[in-house]
Amino acid sequence: MRFTSEQRLDDGVLEREFTFGDIPGILWTPTSGSSSAPASSLASTPAPAPLILIGLPPLGLRRMYPRLAGRARYYAAEFGFASATIELPGSGDRPRWAAAEEARADLRRVMQAGEPVSGEIIDALVLPLVERAVPEWRAALDALLTLPGLGGPVGYEGGVISLGIRLALVEPRIKAAGLFAGSFVPASMFEEARRVTIPLQVLLQWDDEGNDRQAALDLFDAFGSAEKTLHANMGGHTGVPQFELEPGARFFARHLR
């Protein structure tokens, strides 16, 4: 992991861009006095900050930066959490991935034609991405947790929900996850969801265009977690209310502190 830039933001949060191999990423960390977390975390030798991995859709890190940074800065300034994200395979500045481009083109074609999205298209779109991305996230987590001031426990938030399911299942350092319903989910991921047992909070936009609300509800029902909460709001895919930021942070505060 190599840091390529560093800046202190106006709320006192430290933002550092890095590369992990050839994968771009960003790390946001709280600083003394930038958090309203309990006073014990603001001592001269504070405890290591819990870390939230913030997933993103395959739209590119630069395009998603305002939303990612807004959440990360809130978590750092208000709760004393560190946050990190990395670019997905085939997205942003990473090399093009022909199979992924073809799957996205197939998806656009059937959606523009008003046709149902087949299981074959969903599998081709999502499963190879999960297979490539999960090992990258786990390796990046290995590197992040060696940094001064970071020590876990770890949460995961957002992104492609199938990626969150796989990480919640295979990565024991992740103790809680806030998942965003709305991305297409392969049928095989429902079986993985049944084996997920960590606490979950799931956001669902009730009028999410192009996605199957019932499938999202069925997925929530499939999760094996004893503690799982569904927050459903009216509106389309990009209309998640700003007020959901605070309950998401408090969910992580319950499970990562």
Side-chain angles (χ1 to χ4, degrees), residues 112-134:
Q112 290 170 359
E115 300 172 359
V117 181
S118 68
E120 291 80 5
I121 291 177
I122 294 173
D123 287 355
L125 183 73
V126 177
L127 292 178
L129 178 64
V130 170
E131 293 295 332
R132 283 198 182 192
V134 165

Side-chain angles (χ1 to χ4, degrees), residues 27-256:
L27 172 65
W28 295 269
T29 51
T31 55
S32 179
S34 69
S35 170
S36 58
S40 60
S41 68
L42 302 180
S44 57
T45 306
L51 175 65
I52 300 176
L53 303 176
I54 302 182
L56 68 163
L59 300 175
L61 184 55
R62 296 302 169 193
R63 180 174 172 181
M64 294 300 300
Y65 172 82
R67 294 184 191 178
L68 301 170
R71 301 209 305 270
R73 293 175 67 173
Y74 179 80
Y75 295 151
E78 299 298 326
F79 287 83
F81 298 147
S83 300
T85 190
I86 59 172
E87 189 74 87
L88 289 175
S91 297
D93 296 330
R94 296 189 65 180
R96 297 298 91 190
W97 181 9
E101 298 284 348
E102 182 178 350
R104 291 171 192 163
D106 288 343
L107 177 65
R108 288 192 295 269
R109 175 179 53 77
V110 298
M111 293 188 71
Q112 290 170 359
E115 300 172 359
V117 181
S118 68
E120 291 80 5
I121 291 177
I122 294 173
D123 287 355
L125 183 73
V126 177
L127 292 178
L129 178 64
V130 170
E131 293 295 332
R132 283 198 182 192
V134 165
E136 293 180 350
W137 278 93
R138 298 187 74 187
L141 180 57
D142 289 342
L144 287 163
L145 291 181
T146 67
L147 298 174
L150 301 184
V154 179
Y156 176 84
E157 177 190 73
V160 178
I161 196 168
S162 293
L163 175 58
I165 292 170
R166 178 68 60 80
L167 277 170
L169 183 61
V170 304
E171 178 47 72
R173 291 170 293 186
I174 294 178
K175 303 301 184 183
L179 303 177
F180 295 177
S183 52
F184 292 103
V185 181
S188 62
M189 296 304 301
F190 281 73
E191 182 55 39
E192 295 195 26
R194 292 184 180 94
R195 294 156 53 201
V196 171
T197 59
I198 64 172
L200 299 176
Q201 182 165 289
V202 180
L203 283 177
L204 170 64
Q205 287 301 101
W206 201 248
D207 307 302
D208 194 341
E209 58 279 6
N211 285 297
D212 187 334
R213 179 196 304 161
Q214 189 58 52
L217 295 173
D218 291 344
L219 178 64
F220 178 79
D221 188 50
F223 283 118
S225 302
E227 179 186 333
K228 55 182 179 180
T229 304
L230 178 68
H231 287 209
N233 292 282
M234 305 303 291
H237 188 73
T238 60
V240 177
Q242 182 67 20
F243 62 70
E244 286 288 1
L245 189 59
E246 182 179 0
R250 295 197 179 280
F251 164 77
F252 284 120
R254 287 198 305 274
H255 297 290
L256 302 186

